[in-house]
Amino acid sequence: MPHKITSQTSDPLVGTGSSLHGTPRVDANLDSPTENLAAVRVLRRAHTHDTIVAVRGVAIGGQELTIIAGPCAVETPQQLFAAAELAAASGAHLLRGGAFKLRTSPYAFSGLGEAGLKLLSEARRVSGLPVVTEVVDEESVLLAAAHADMLQIGTRNMHNYVLLKQAAATGKPILLKRGMAATLEEFLQAAEYILAAGNAQVVLCERGIRTFSDFTRNTLDLNIVPALKLMTHLPVITDPSHGTGRRDLVIPMARASVAAGADGVLIEMHPDPERALSDGYQSLDPEEFGELMHDLSRIATAVGRTVTRRGQ
Ligand code: PEP
Ligand code: MN
């Protein structure tokens, strides 16, 4: 049985009564009560059951954990196909890989674009894994919708409401990452945009927030996992790769995510992380990824969840 979370407040986003556990009202920074009241589709009271998001036959949410794995960026056919085969052989459920990369430096590798999407399509064919990839603008939404099974909205675009609506309109399942400085409410309101546009297939992903911590790239906010599960019927996963920015912390924080009630994890994994064109320092190598899969199934058992290796 998934961990049952009890609510101390029936309408956390509605703005009446006290907020979670006596802390300041969670809606304090919304523009108006009217806008606040519009956030209804994502809330548990809108749905009696957890939403299960279906990505080409893979269910996200419910009893089973979903493991999404693959490189930060699609680089070459050899790199992507090796990653896809490793992910499939280790029992992962979805393949990830960015074809449009929003890099902090304008001089860094920014992805292969449409050629990368075609490689993802081919990787799905050889590995059998559905693919998820990030979209960054209208053109990439249209291109990715033709090749990928799920569209990712990255942390830098969580507040890009035009993009959220464009992605929603494709009808593809959406993996929505939390903005790196977004509050829980802003995160849920971003998801609300997608639901309001007629697409209920949304998975929320905590990927780390900006804090004063100077030993990690971001701080994986595991508090938000049970808080979101309390408030929304949407599946919630974490990304310990961007959440820590350190390969040596990814496995422990993935384990902690599952223990905290996450419905899955998104993991950067590269066949040769030392040679990766982006985020190699936070990417697991194939052996570490195998270790992670093994660990997660043990943690899953401890918290009443299961990890079924794809193909079994
Ligand atoms: C990614 O998943 O490759 C990515 C860029 O993530 P984020 O938007 O969370 O930084
Ligand atoms: Mn990355």
Side-chain angles (χ1 to χ4, degrees), residues 163-276:
L163 183 64
L164 295 178
K165 289 191 272 188
Q166 287 165 343
T170 64
K172 294 275 180 182
I174 307 289
L175 176 55
L176 177 64
K177 291 216 176 176
R178 180 185 183 184
M180 63 183 84
T183 64
L184 177 149
E185 286 191 25
E186 289 165 344
F187 192 14
L188 285 177
Q189 295 280 24
E192 184 81 15
Y193 264 92
I194 301 169
L195 269 65
N199 186 340
Q201 296 280 289
V202 178
V203 174
L204 302 172
C205 180
E206 159 59 30
R207 52 77 68 198
I209 52 172
R210 279 282 168 86
T211 70
F212 58 81
S213 170
D214 61 357
F215 64 96
T216 52
R217 181 177 180 182
N218 292 291
T219 296
L220 190 69
D221 179 14
L222 287 186
N223 291 349
I224 207 169
V225 172
L228 285 170
K229 296 293 290 180
L230 175 67
M231 295 170 76
T232 179
H233 50 86
L234 298 174
V236 178
I237 69 169
T238 73
D239 168 358
S241 304
H242 294 87
T244 63
R246 285 179 47 168
R247 185 180 308 144
D248 57 348
L249 301 185
V250 170
I251 293 178
M253 294 312 287
R255 291 161 45 146
S257 298
V258 171
D263 296 303
V265 289
L266 178 151
I267 302 289
E268 287 189 338
M269 181 267 280
H270 194 287
D272 187 359
E274 304 304 327
R275 292 196 170 71

Side-chain angles (χ1 to χ4, degrees), residues 72-73 96 101 217 242 268 278-279 282:
C72 179
R96 62 146 287 143
K101 298 302 303 177
R217 181 177 180 182
H242 294 87
E268 287 189 338
S278 70
D279 287 355
Q282 66 188 32

Side-chain angles (χ1 to χ4, degrees), residues 29-300:
N29 61 355
L30 285 186
D31 294 341
S32 74
T34 317
E35 181 175 323
N36 193 10
L37 280 167
V40 293
R41 291 178 170 85
V42 296
L43 297 182
R44 279 211 175 272
R45 66 189 161 87
H47 245 250
T48 44
H49 298 294
D50 286 351
T51 289
I52 308 283
V53 172
V55 185
R56 200 184 265 262
V58 172
I60 309 180
Q63 174 81 7
E64 290 279 334
L65 298 182
T66 305
I67 316 301
I68 304 173
C72 179
V74 178
E75 299 169 2
T76 63
Q78 294 75 13
Q79 171 249 16
L80 184 66
F81 300 158
E85 278 174 27
L86 287 161
S90 306
H93 307 98
L94 256 66
L95 176 68
R96 62 146 287 143
F100 302 93
K101 298 302 303 177
L102 298 177
R103 305 300 302 280
T104 303
S105 164
Y107 310 115
F109 175 64
S110 63
L112 299 179
E114 188 175 8
L117 295 176
K118 289 182 179 162
L119 290 177
L120 283 167
S121 269
E122 184 62 12
R124 173 181 51 229
R125 199 182 59 73
V126 296
S127 68
L129 298 181
V131 298
V132 53
T133 197
E134 182 171 352
V135 293
V136 297
D137 57 15
E138 186 170 20
E139 188 189 0
S140 61
V141 166
L142 297 176
L143 288 170
H147 293 285
D149 304 300
M150 183 178 214
L151 307 185
Q152 177 175 319
I153 304 283
T155 193
R156 291 163 186 78
N157 273 314
M158 188 212 81
H159 293 284
N160 185 341
Y161 305 124
V162 175
L163 183 64
L164 295 178
K165 289 191 272 188
Q166 287 165 343
T170 64
K172 294 275 180 182
I174 307 289
L175 176 55
L176 177 64
K177 291 216 176 176
R178 180 185 183 184
M180 63 183 84
T183 64
L184 177 149
E185 286 191 25
E186 289 165 344
F187 192 14
L188 285 177
Q189 295 280 24
E192 184 81 15
Y193 264 92
I194 301 169
L195 269 65
N199 186 340
Q201 296 280 289
V202 178
V203 174
L204 302 172
C205 180
E206 159 59 30
R207 52 77 68 198
I209 52 172
R210 279 282 168 86
T211 70
F212 58 81
S213 170
D214 61 357
F215 64 96
T216 52
R217 181 177 180 182
N218 292 291
T219 296
L220 190 69
D221 179 14
L222 287 186
N223 291 349
I224 207 169
V225 172
L228 285 170
K229 296 293 290 180
L230 175 67
M231 295 170 76
T232 179
H233 50 86
L234 298 174
V236 178
I237 69 169
T238 73
D239 168 358
S241 304
H242 294 87
T244 63
R246 285 179 47 168
R247 185 180 308 144
D248 57 348
L249 301 185
V250 170
I251 293 178
M253 294 312 287
R255 291 161 45 146
S257 298
V258 171
D263 296 303
V265 289
L266 178 151
I267 302 289
E268 287 189 338
M269 181 267 280
H270 194 287
D272 187 359
E274 304 304 327
R275 292 196 170 71
L277 295 182
S278 70
D279 287 355
Y281 52 85
Q282 66 188 32
S283 301
L284 299 187
D285 67 24
E287 194 182 328
E288 290 165 328
F289 186 69
E291 190 187 321
L292 169 90
M293 291 298 292
H294 176 257
D295 284 9
L296 290 190
S297 59
R298 294 182 62 207
I299 303 283

